[in-house]
Amino acid sequence: MTRQIRLLGIGLMVCFLVLFVQLNRLTVFQAAELNDNPNNTREILRDFTRPRGTVTTADGVVIAQSVPSDDRFELQRVYPEGPLCAAITGYYSFALGSAGVERTYNDELAGRTIDLSLQDIGDLFVDKETVGDLSLTVRADLQRIASDGLAGREGSVVALDPRTGEILAMVSHPTYDPNLLADHNTDAATNAATLLDASPEKPRLSRAYQDRFFPGSTFKVVTATAGVTSGGVSVSEPSYPSSNGYTAPGTTRPLRNFGGGTCGGTLFDILRVSCNTAFAQMGVETGPEAMIETAEAFGFNKDVPIDLTNPARSNFPTDFERNLPALAQSAIGQNEVSATPLQMALVAAAVANDGRVMVPHVLKDVRDVDGNIVDEYDPEEWTTAMDPGTSALLRDAMVGVVERGTATRLAVPGFVVGGKTGTAQLGTEVPRSHAWIIGFGGPPGEVPSIAVAVIIEGQPGASEQTGGRVAAPIARSMISAFLGGP
Amino acid sequence: MNALRAVRRNTELGLIVLGTLVTVGAYLLASLAEDATIPANIGPFLVIVLGLQLVAHLAIRRLAPDADGTLVPIAGLLNGLGYVFIVRIDEAKNEPQGLAGLQSGWIAVGIVAFIATLLVVRRVRDLERYRWTIGMGGIVLLLLPLVPGVGKTINGAKIWVGLGPISFQPGEFAKILLALFFASYLVEKRELLGVSSHRLGPIPLPDLKHLGPVLLAWGVSLLVMVSERDLGSSLLFFALFVALLWVATERATYLVVGLALFAGGALFAHSQFTHVQERVDIWLDPWQDPKDDGFQIVESAFAFSAGGVTGTGINLGSPTRIPYAETDFIFAAIGEELGLVGATGVLVAYLLMIGAGLRIALRTEVPFERLLATGLTVLIGVQSFIIMAGVIRVLPLTGVTLPFVSYGGSSLIANYILLALLLRISDDTVTREEERVR
């Protein structure tokens, strides 16, 4: 019997060894694959039943929070302001994943960052609630003004602080109600998403920073910067000939001004009336390399480092070889130039802030449950568009547009306001265009503290006045509300 | 010799204290993870855990002072760890069933049964005399759940008997009785069984009439278990039978024939019974139906992968996602919260128990006791193997409990009685050795 008993012992040991091998397979070798298995809803379910931080605007309005709910998730994510701040909050949905601030700051909201979870040694042993509350730079009052200004029309408003890159407001229409997507009933949520995506206007897209449009005449600020930076343009030189058409080398078809008008003059003059022929000539004479370089210095062709999901890249064409007519059109913001409203706001901000484009962001700071700040967003420079001297020149030019040019509706008494209107022709059968305005404003003698970009899409007509008429009032109300003016 | 006895008992005491510290530590961690507080009842908890084991220890000092000193502490550790997990799982449910109180009650009864067995069974050899009674008793206990009025079907398995408010599984006790019967009978007949008077082709076979009663007992138990849908126990009994037959006769033939019979029986069962087919299908590919039939196995795998090497920490995982986490799948809960390290620890604990049991078997020179110790060790070793293998998909899932760890009174009490028998054999052996020396 002895031998058999010993063999039995060895046999059992081998059996247990097999168990040990399989344990290793499950916990080590296949662990990653198992954890990522689509049937594995452990992590998601855990995240959904855990407390999550609150998102508050700069003026103390709660725009995302978790409230108790009677189902298996125990907590429901709600968005009290609904569509107003949808572009910023995004959504946190069991069925659809996450977007916006809910996504980019997920670790902070869940309390998983080191700053939040390990504040003292005792935290190593304990699983206490460590969620982070987000304080944003966005202001709910400005959001409302922007939203009211759009009045249901398709378009976007972006307002930011040129000195820090803090986004003060970002609204686009049409938009959606994130509460529908955060519904715990996965069928309801998925249906809501399908409905939204079926609409040709794509409400889930935040056009303010995720969609691109012809910038039209607002791009002339960039062209002017390129001209001045390259040394070819100054306050008094050159004086462009009064003309109603500019024919670029390599083509016989002239580029016209709006309504067939005639214009010309020095830098300030042509910016004030938004003279197409002069700027087209400026673009061609400045040359492709300088134009591309300046556009990219403003942020075109680059990924925007904003702390939201899926930003779109603004585009300035880089191939003008033997295609100077295209350059002429690009110089006035047509052809293949496309920009997000955010990018155009950054153009205005660069002019306001001595040429420095700061990284745009919505986060101000992260606080723990006791209200202590655990992390702050440190403003950082993203790119340098021009040197301070050039920016001073452009500032004065843009102030001139507001004082006596196409953007008089932007003026706010008692404050220094500069701007540039734009009407981007869409080349449709019945003339339609995007109505644009970009601008900045601030107390006299100080660096302007707000930069704005407004676009109203697809407006009837194609006159230079469209931008100033349609878009400027909205921008003005933003600037005025922010600065506390009349 | 007294020095050795002192060493044994003091080691046992030391191991009990260590095991208690681990259990209390686990309890503490579970409570900290819940709400960052030290539980108010940690003091009484410590006293009770230590107290129960000390009572058993003192009984051993009195009644079986030369017995092996590792079995009881290991059982105590497994018990304690299991208890912490049962409490943790139960309280995480939407409707807690008060399993904490119940399990501690069962543990107390188990310790009482342990001491009672040590008291009643003074010499294991005496049990040989009652061989047939014991054998019949085992069969009767197995048949009990099939009796209408007394038997209860729970979760499709007719293995329960209800006596008033209490349900118990007579099968757990039947196992021990039948192990006693097999051991006793095989010891007597082993020479006869070792002689081959016939040949079936190349395989030498004994006179079947000698094998008769045992085969009958085994056949009846298998049939009963199949009709009760208790496949795990069928497998366990089969392993017990073949192992004892092989060890008793020292003939590898029986091992080979046994395996062949098992293969045949398994194929037959697979072709005849749909629930066997389902179990095997889910074992081979649980991913075909991960939300329904395969849910338990799939979630168990996810539990282990979530735990990783060191586990998520006690009370920081989600073991309640797995149905029956406090009984069949408690190993998955341990794997999730204590990780590879914890699960391997449990594995090693059972291996140590098997080692101690087989050591006891090897040490005694009385054939009956040898066979009995082997049989009892096989019961614990193979049962724990079967359920752990089922949980991690090495074998198809079967509904047996993890000894000492799972929630369940019958299993706990039966296993404590089993332990007492092993300790009695161990003590007897040393006593006889001493007498010979004198």
Side-chain angles (χ1 to χ4, degrees):
Chain A
M1 283 201 233
T2 308
R3 195 168 141 262
Q4 281 71 26
I5 294 178
R6 279 189 219 255
L7 283 174
L8 186 63
I10 294 176
L12 282 170
M13 234 173 25
V14 168
C15 287
F16 274 68
L17 196 63
V18 170
L19 286 183
F20 180 66
V21 167
Q22 175 71 349
L23 274 180
N24 271 283
R25 280 179 75 214
L26 285 178
T27 56
V28 177
F29 300 112
Q30 292 177 344
E33 184 191 317
L34 284 168
N35 282 332
D36 287 335
N37 188 297
N39 290 304
N40 191 347
T41 52
R42 271 173 175 273
E43 275 310 311
I44 307 174
L45 206 60
R46 264 187 84 195
D47 280 346
F48 269 84
T49 52
R50 291 183 79 121
R52 196 171 167 80
T54 303
V55 182
T56 318
T57 63
D59 46 346
V61 175
V62 172
I63 56 176
Q65 62 182 170
S66 293
V67 297
S69 83
D70 279 336
D71 54 13
R72 61 182 169 133
F73 294 108
E74 292 163 24
L75 288 171
Q76 167 78 53
R77 200 74 177 152
V78 297
Y79 303 93
E81 297 295 319
L84 182 67
C85 299
I88 318 257
T89 58
Y91 49 85
Y92 187 64
S93 164
F94 188 69
L96 304 163
S98 58
V101 150
E102 294 274 35
R103 169 105 151 246
T104 48
Y105 291 109
N106 187 45
D107 284 344
E108 282 80 359
L109 286 168
R112 276 208 286 267
T113 57
I114 300 282
D115 291 324
L116 283 164
S117 51
L118 273 187
Q119 287 175 313
D120 64 68
I121 198 78
D123 294 339
L124 276 173
F125 300 103
V126 158
D127 184 43
K128 74 171 207 272
E129 186 184 302
T130 59
V131 293
D133 293 328
L134 302 181
S135 273
L136 300 184
T137 58
V138 175
R139 281 173 47 163
D141 58 345
L142 293 178
Q143 293 278 110
R144 279 191 206 108
I145 293 172
S147 181
D148 292 342
L150 286 173
R153 295 172 287 184
E154 265 176 56
S156 313
V157 178
V158 179
L160 49 90
D161 187 329
R163 305 164 296 179
T164 57
E166 290 181 359
I167 294 183
L168 301 163
M170 195 154 73
V171 175
S172 65
H173 275 191
T175 183
Y176 64 97
D177 185 357
N179 287 303
L180 294 176
L181 300 181
D183 198 329
H184 281 166
N185 181 332
T186 46
D187 286 332
T190 329
N191 287 341
T194 314
L195 209 61
L196 287 169
D197 292 339
S199 163
E201 292 96 31
K202 301 275 174 286
R204 276 218 272 168
L205 200 64
S206 171
R207 316 155 106 72
Y209 75 98
Q210 291 181 320
D211 204 0
R212 305 179 296 197
F213 311 91
F214 291 131
S217 304
T218 53
F219 194 77
K220 289 167 184 164
V221 174
V222 179
T223 309
T225 308
V228 174
T229 305
S230 70
V233 178
S234 70
V235 175
S236 48
E237 300 275 327
S239 179
Y240 293 89
S242 248
S243 160
N244 69 350
Y246 171 75
T247 311
T251 184
T252 48
R253 273 206 326 199
L255 194 147
R256 299 274 178 213
N257 290 311
F258 280 106
T262 307
C263 56
T266 55
L267 178 63
F268 281 39
D269 299 327
I270 54 176
L271 197 68
R272 220 177 318 125
V273 300
S274 194
C275 187
N276 282 353
T277 53
F279 275 99
Q281 184 176 342
M282 188 195 295
V284 171
E285 286 173 359
T286 307
E289 288 84 27
M291 286 291 287
I292 295 169
E293 202 181 312
T294 302
E296 291 183 351
F298 271 100
F300 282 78
N301 298 340
K302 289 203 257 200
D303 290 320
V304 185
I306 188 173
D307 52 358
L308 289 173
T309 45
N310 298 327
R313 227 191 231 205
S314 300
N315 185 57
F316 187 79
T318 50
D319 181 20
F320 291 110
E321 200 166 316
R322 290 190 294 269
N323 199 357
L324 293 175
L327 183 59
Q329 287 177 327
S330 302
I332 59 168
Q334 304 276 163
N335 191 255
E336 275 171 31
V337 183
S338 64
T340 62
L342 174 65
Q343 176 64 68
M344 294 320 292
L346 289 173
V347 167
V351 172
N353 194 33
D354 284 342
R356 288 173 28 241
V357 181
M358 306 302 281
V359 174
H361 56 279
V362 294
L363 180 73
K364 183 118 179 96
D365 52 56
V366 181
R367 291 159 197 246
D368 65 13
V369 284
D370 302 318
N372 306 313
I373 296 181
V374 294
D375 200 9
E376 269 181 296
Y377 194 105
D378 291 322
E380 226 183 287
E381 188 179 310
W382 176 30
T383 174
T384 310
M386 63 193 106
D387 62 57
T390 311
S391 77
L393 195 62
L394 266 301
R395 266 200 304 281
D396 287 341
M398 286 176 78
V399 170
V401 178
V402 172
E403 282 176 351
R404 281 165 318 194
T406 55
T408 48
R409 286 181 217 242
L410 202 58
V412 179
F415 293 96
V416 176
V417 178
K420 179 73 194 78
T421 57
T423 306
Q425 294 168 294
L426 297 178
T428 47
E429 213 25 64
V430 178
R432 298 174 73 78
S433 47
H434 296 321
W436 277 95
I437 190 156
I438 64 175
F440 53 82
E446 291 175 30
V447 177
S449 47
I450 179 169
V452 188
V454 176
I455 175 177
I456 313 280
E457 297 170 39
Q459 291 298 291
S463 129
E464 189 54 56
Q465 301 304 314
T466 314
R469 193 169 33 81
V470 176
I474 304 173
R476 185 207 181 278
S477 56
M478 301 287 294
I479 297 176
S480 167
F482 181 73
L483 294 174
Chain B
M1 279 305 147
N2 266 334
L4 191 54
R5 174 189 293 187
V7 166
R8 275 214 183 90
R9 296 277 72 79
N10 290 335
T11 312
E12 187 180 64
L13 186 59
L15 287 174
I16 285 177
V17 170
L18 265 178
T20 306
L21 284 176
V22 171
T23 301
V24 172
Y27 193 71
L28 189 62
L29 283 175
S31 178
L32 281 178
E34 175 89 21
D35 48 18
T37 57
I38 298 180
N41 59 358
I42 190 104
F45 180 71
L46 171 65
V47 166
I48 293 176
V49 169
L50 198 56
L52 281 172
Q53 291 179 89
L54 281 180
V55 165
H57 174 73
L58 286 172
I60 298 175
R61 276 189 189 253
R62 187 86 167 68
L63 299 168
D66 294 308
D68 176 276
T70 58
L71 282 170
V72 167
I74 296 176
L77 176 63
L78 288 170
N79 240 343
L81 214 54
Y83 180 80
V84 171
F85 272 90
I86 290 167
V87 170
R88 175 255 179 282
I89 290 171
D90 192 43
E91 290 187 357
K93 290 191 204 162
N94 287 331
E95 284 146 21
Q97 298 165 285
L99 294 179
L102 285 173
Q103 180 77 343
S104 48
W106 291 128
I107 295 176
V109 175
I111 303 271
V112 167
F114 175 82
I115 299 173
T117 311
L118 280 181
L119 268 173
V120 166
V121 181
R122 284 308 180 134
R123 285 189 323 171
V124 177
R125 271 173 296 165
D126 294 344
L127 290 174
E128 275 195 273
R129 267 182 258 150
Y130 305 102
R131 154 186 339 156
W132 296 103
T133 323
I134 289 177
M136 282 277 95
I139 302 277
V140 165
L141 279 178
L142 273 183
L143 284 169
L144 217 46
L146 291 173
V147 173
V150 172
K152 287 160 58 163
T153 308
I154 299 180
N155 294 322
K158 298 194 205 83
I159 52 177
W160 295 84
V161 160
L163 280 180
I166 304 179
S167 306
F168 73 98
Q169 291 179 283
E172 299 279 347
F173 301 97
K175 284 179 214 164
I176 301 178
L177 293 179
L178 285 170
L180 275 163
F181 174 68
F182 286 164
S184 146
Y185 185 86
L186 287 172
V187 157
E188 191 181 298
K189 299 283 182 204
R190 65 186 166 135
E191 266 100 23
L192 287 167
L193 290 170
V195 170
S196 22
S197 40
H198 311 286
R199 288 191 92 85
L200 185 69
I203 306 169
L205 276 186
D207 253 329
L208 276 174
K209 69 172 188 232
H210 301 301
L211 207 50
V214 197
L215 260 181
L216 194 63
W218 172 68
V220 168
S221 13
L222 270 185
L223 266 164
V224 167
M225 280 184 282
V226 164
S227 61
E228 290 174 351
R229 301 235 170 160
D230 190 2
L231 298 172
S233 294
S234 305
L235 187 57
L236 187 57
F237 262 56
F238 187 88
L240 176 69
F241 181 63
V242 170
L244 284 182
L245 204 48
W246 173 49
V247 171
T249 58
E250 299 180 3
R251 294 221 162 255
T253 316
Y254 283 110
L255 199 56
V256 171
V257 170
L259 284 170
L261 274 175
F262 172 71
L267 281 167
F268 176 75
H270 185 259
S271 64
Q272 290 298 109
F273 303 111
T274 44
H275 67 270
V276 174
Q277 285 162 5
E278 277 164 20
R279 288 282 175 98
V280 173
D281 283 340
I282 288 296
W283 170 55
L284 289 174
D285 184 17
W287 307 100
Q288 63 179 284
D289 193 3
K291 298 265 188 276
D292 216 350
D293 285 333
F295 186 68
Q296 261 189 330
I297 298 288
V298 162
E299 282 297 323
S300 168
F302 290 152
F304 279 98
S305 69
V309 176
T310 53
T312 60
I314 304 185
N315 213 358
L316 296 174
S318 339
T320 44
R321 289 168 63 90
I322 311 175
Y324 302 111
E326 70 276 0
T327 51
D328 295 349
F329 275 83
I330 199 160
F331 189 55
I334 293 177
E336 181 184 355
E337 300 200 330
L338 296 180
L340 176 66
V341 174
T344 308
V346 169
L347 222 62
V348 169
Y350 283 112
L351 261 180
L352 288 175
M353 278 191 127
I354 294 171
L358 290 180
R359 243 198 340 270
I360 294 174
L362 284 173
R363 191 140 178 212
T364 178
E365 75 291 354
V366 175
F368 168 64
E369 292 182 0
R370 238 182 201 202
L371 217 48
L372 181 61
T374 307
L376 294 176
T377 308
V378 165
L379 278 179
I380 289 212
V382 174
Q383 180 167 341
S384 55
F385 174 72
I386 290 176
I387 183 58
M388 285 195 283
V391 165
I392 62 177
R393 240 186 105 213
V394 168
L395 287 178
L397 184 64
T398 54
V400 292
T401 57
L402 192 58
F404 296 110
V405 181
S406 289
Y407 171 75
S410 314
S411 162
L412 208 51
I413 298 171
N415 282 317
Y416 265 117
I417 294 176
L418 192 154
L419 229 54
L421 287 173
L422 278 174
L423 285 182
R424 173 56 65 210
I425 297 174
S426 169
D427 178 68
D428 264 0
T429 312
V430 176
T431 313
R432 282 194 304 267
E433 279 177 6
E434 286 180 4
E435 277 169 14
R436 269 201 303 275
V437 167
R438 272 194 227 116

